[in-house]
């Protein structure tokens, strides 16, 4: 017997459900709408059965015994099924239909090795189109390879999947890594520029086998701590091919069949990957499911990098105009690339940034340029895009090096460039209306450092500034661009030394260069006073036994400090110090030296005002015996001689040893001293007899109080 099922074959189990206990005694049309069949891509609700030899009749549809069945679609036999069996036969006779043709499951309908595009009728009779993955391209011969681009521009990362992420802080992040290359990683550093609340990509670092290759603004490239000199010819550095042209710096390397290209123009980084299909891409450029905190690299970030800042909105920004500008990416010539590179992430990044941040420093073109370069990586040239947008493909701020607290920006829109202070760095000076740091006062010098970029903000030329002495000018640190003015003991630079009650004040002034012929000026006049102060310390009393041959006090006077030593000797040359084993006899002459360390002898001297003795530790106790009064020897004691008082940073005096009548024998010696500017006449005026006993060999000055004790 031969039966023809037309136009579709029906699994016999479905017939029994749809037609119940129908008997097929002749050619029939069965209604199977309650169990429709999708066959070769088309749904059927009627079954046509044609019996060619009706000599075998089945009681039920499910038990038809047929030797051969031709399955026809549209009159065309697509399959012949042999169902000869003594038991019910079940056959899945489905397939696929494409362009009017019928294909059984497992058939390759078409395949293009140049595009890696194939069409098959799969095992479940469904048409299936296969091609390279979203991160891949066809290399030919039906071979797919990884071909992905990640763009980091401004605060935005557009990853290889076209998803966007925005950085809100000023930290370092992992941009790209892959498990197959554990010793390679690409890092991105984000910093503020003109606003504290908007961060921008500032530099990119390639970590290769423990070495850091830093790609920075202005086309500067550093290997660890050394600067590299690059040009358009490739230079091999630790397996990385480095080159530089007018568009930016490119780093290329091949590791484990993965070709990596990292481009940076000072504003935008693009990481292009080519390699085996299925290669894992991690970091901000790859795995979008990980949080920003997971990808933040604390070891490369400052402790305060996560701090959030807020600033008032810029009322001068017209967001409607910004949107129109950013949407140019959907117009020609950019539109020719839209099918390969989705412009929407770039448009979003552009509008989100420029609706908050002013369109300066090339930012108006930055996102358009980033999209154009991403297109070029996929062989789209976008002819004429620069002329249509008024942009340039060349590096902004080429070869200009700014310090860590600066960034390169435009003096005027589209004009010359210079280094500007970063907003957060500048804010601490702007809060105090200051141009620099506080005065630094050291042992023999004073200095004041001004911030170069703040001076430029006010259009001040540091080279026109000087101290009271016009020959004393600021020194520029080429790395930080900070300008330092200073004076010291060897060059006072016109420093004025004055006294104010208990203070000695050293003052100088930073000023603009004066021209005696100019009676008017159209520039700000600069007068910045800075000074160092030595404040006389409070009186302090300490008790020292004879075994302490010298007494040392550390005197802090304002921001300058010095050390005062009191030491006693048994000889005029002051070489034999009195110590614990020395036996001092009554009426024996003792020399007492008062010496300082840490004072500038060219600027200041020390004057001993008074010295006296008591039999108690307190300098205010009684009885009291004066040895020096108002800087001069007590005229009532002919054994007292004062030497070199007010001439330098040390002086001494001598007297014959004594003890208090009726006391235990303890003698406490107290001296009071003060500082005096050397330019003043600091030598005490003493009676003639006392003056004759004074010599002038050295110099000392300063104010302090110090005590020494002798005891039996």
């Amino acid at each position: 017997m031969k039966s023809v099922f037309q136009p579709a074959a029906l699994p016999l189990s479905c017939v029994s459900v749809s037609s119940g206990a129908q008997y097929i005694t002749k050619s029939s049309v069965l209604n199977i709408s309650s169990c429709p069949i999708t066959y070769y891509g088309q749904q059927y609700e009627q079954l046509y059965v044609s019996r060619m030899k009706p000599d075998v009749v089945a009681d039920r549809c499910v038990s038809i015994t047929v030797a051969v069945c031709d399955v026809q679609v549209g009159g065309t036999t697509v399959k012949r099924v042999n169902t000869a069996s003594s038991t019910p036969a079940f056959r899945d006779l489905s397939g696929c239909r494409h362009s009017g043709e019928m294909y059984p499951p497992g058939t390759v309908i078409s395949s293009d090795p140049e595009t890696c595009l194939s069409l098959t009728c799969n095992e479940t009779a469904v048409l299936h189109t296969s091609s390279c993955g979203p991160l891949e391209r066809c290399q030919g011969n039906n071979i797919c390879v990884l071909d992905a681009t990640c763009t980091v521009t401004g605060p935005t990362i557009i990853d290889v999947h076209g998803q966007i992420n925005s950085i809100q802080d000023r930290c370092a992040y992992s941009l790209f890594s892959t498990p197959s290359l554990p010793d390679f990683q690409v890092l991105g550093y984000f910093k503020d520029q003109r606003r504290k609340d908007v961060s921008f990509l500032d530099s990119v670092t390639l970590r290769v086998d423990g070495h850091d290759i830093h790609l920075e603004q202005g086309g500067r490239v550093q290997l660890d701590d050394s600067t590299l000199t690059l040009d358009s010819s490739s230079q091999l550095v630790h397996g990385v091919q480095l080159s530089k042209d007018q568009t930016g710096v490119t780093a290329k390397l091949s590791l484990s069949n993965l070709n990596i290209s990292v481009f940076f123009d000072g504003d935008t980084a693009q990481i292009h990957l080519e390699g085996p299909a299925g290669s894992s891409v991690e970091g901000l450029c790859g795995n979008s499911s990980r949080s920003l905190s997971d990808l933040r690299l604390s070891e490369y970030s400052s402790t305060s990098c996560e701090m959030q800042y807020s600033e008032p909105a810029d009322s001068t920004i017209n967001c409607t105009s910004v949107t129109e500008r950013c949407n140019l990416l959907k117009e020609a010539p950019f539109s020719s690339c839209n099918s390969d590179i989705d412009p929407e992430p770039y448009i979003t990044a552009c509008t989100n940034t420029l609706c908050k941040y002013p369109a300066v420093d090339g930012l108006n073109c930055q996102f358009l340029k980033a999209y154009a370069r991403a297109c070029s990586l996929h062989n789209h040239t976008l002819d004429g895009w620069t002329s249509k947008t008024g942009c340039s493909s060349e590096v902004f701020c080429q070869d200009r090096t700014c310090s860590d607290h600066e960034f390169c920006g435009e003096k005027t829109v589209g004009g010359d460039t210079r280094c500007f202070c970063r907003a957060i760095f500048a804010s601490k000076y702007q809060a105090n209306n200051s141009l620099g740091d506080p005065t630094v006062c050291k042992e023999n010098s004073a200095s004041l450092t001004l911030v170069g970029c703040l001076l430029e903000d006010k259009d001040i030329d540091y080279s026109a500034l000087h101290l009271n002495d016009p020959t004393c000018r600021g020194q520029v640190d080429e790395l930080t661009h900070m300008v330092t003015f200073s004076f010291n003991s060897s060059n006072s630079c016109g420093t004025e030394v004055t006294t104010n009650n208990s203070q000695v004040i050293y003052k100088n002034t930073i000023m603009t260069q004066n021209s005696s012929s100019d009676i008017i000026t159209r520039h700000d006049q600069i007068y910045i006073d800075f000074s160092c102060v030595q404040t006389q310390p409070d009186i302090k009393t300490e008790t020292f036994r004879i075994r302490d041959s010298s007494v040392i006090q550390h005197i802090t006077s304002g921001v300058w400090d010095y050390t005062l030593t009191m030491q006693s000797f048994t000889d005029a040359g002051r070489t034999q110090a009195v110590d614990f084993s020395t036996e001092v006899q009554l009426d024996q002459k003792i020399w007492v030296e008062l010496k300082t360390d840490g004072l500038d002898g060219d600027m200041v001297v020390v004057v001993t005002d008074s010295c006296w003795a008591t039999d108690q530790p307190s300098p205010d106790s009684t009885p009291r015996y004066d040895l020096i009064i108002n800087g001069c020897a007590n005229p009532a004691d002919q054994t007292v001689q004062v030497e070199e008082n007010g001439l330098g940073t040390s002086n001494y005096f001598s007297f014959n040893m004594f003890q208090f009548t009726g006391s235990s024998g303890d003698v406490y010696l107290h001296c009071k001293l003060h500082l005096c500017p050397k330019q003043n006449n600091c030598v005490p005026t003493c009676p003639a007899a006392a003056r004759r006993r004074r010599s002038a060999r050295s110099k000392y000055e300063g104010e302090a109080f110090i005590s020494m004790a002798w005891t039996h």
Side-chain angles (χ1 to χ4, degrees), residues 19 28 74 231 272 281-282 284 333 339 381 452 539 551 686:
S19 57
S28 306
D231 54 28
H272 187 223
V281 180
E282 298 184 357
L284 284 175
S339 59
T381 56
I539 293 177
V551 178
C686 299

Side-chain angles (χ1 to χ4, degrees), residues 117-250:
L117 183 66
S118 63
L119 178 65
T120 61
C121 178
N122 67 16
E123 296 301 329
T124 59
V126 175
L127 286 174
H128 176 70
T129 301
S130 64
S131 62
C132 295
L135 305 182
E136 301 167 355
R137 65 173 171 80
C138 185
Q139 185 176 268
N141 296 321
N142 278 326
I143 298 175
C144 293
V145 294
L146 174 69
D147 185 11
T149 301
C150 172
T151 298
V152 186
T153 184
T156 306
I157 297 95
I158 303 172
D159 67 22
V160 294
H161 306 286
Q163 303 299 310
I164 66 173
N165 221 326
S166 182
I167 301 299
Q168 305 295 327
D169 54 32
R170 296 153 314 288
C171 301
Y173 288 85
S174 171
L175 298 181
F176 167 74
S177 64
T178 182
S180 62
L181 301 173
D183 296 324
F184 178 78
Q185 189 175 24
V186 180
L187 316 178
Y189 297 81
F190 294 81
K191 291 185 178 181
D192 60 296
Q193 293 188 2
R194 294 180 186 263
R195 289 179 62 98
K196 294 183 288 186
D197 59 343
V198 180
S199 294
F200 289 85
L201 178 66
D202 187 70
S203 63
V204 174
T205 295
L206 282 69
R207 298 220 70 200
V208 185
D209 296 330
H211 294 279
D212 288 346
I213 300 175
H214 305 285
L215 313 183
E216 302 177 351
Q217 273 198 333
R220 183 171 64 174
V221 178
Q222 288 191 290
L223 172 62
D224 297 327
D225 295 325
S226 61
T227 301
L228 301 178
T229 301
L230 301 177
D231 54 28
S232 57
S233 300
S234 293
Q235 184 178 143
L236 187 63
V237 179
H238 294 292
V240 180
Q241 295 283 349
L242 294 171
S243 61
K244 172 183 171 183
D245 61 18
Q246 73 276 8
T247 66
V249 176
T250 301

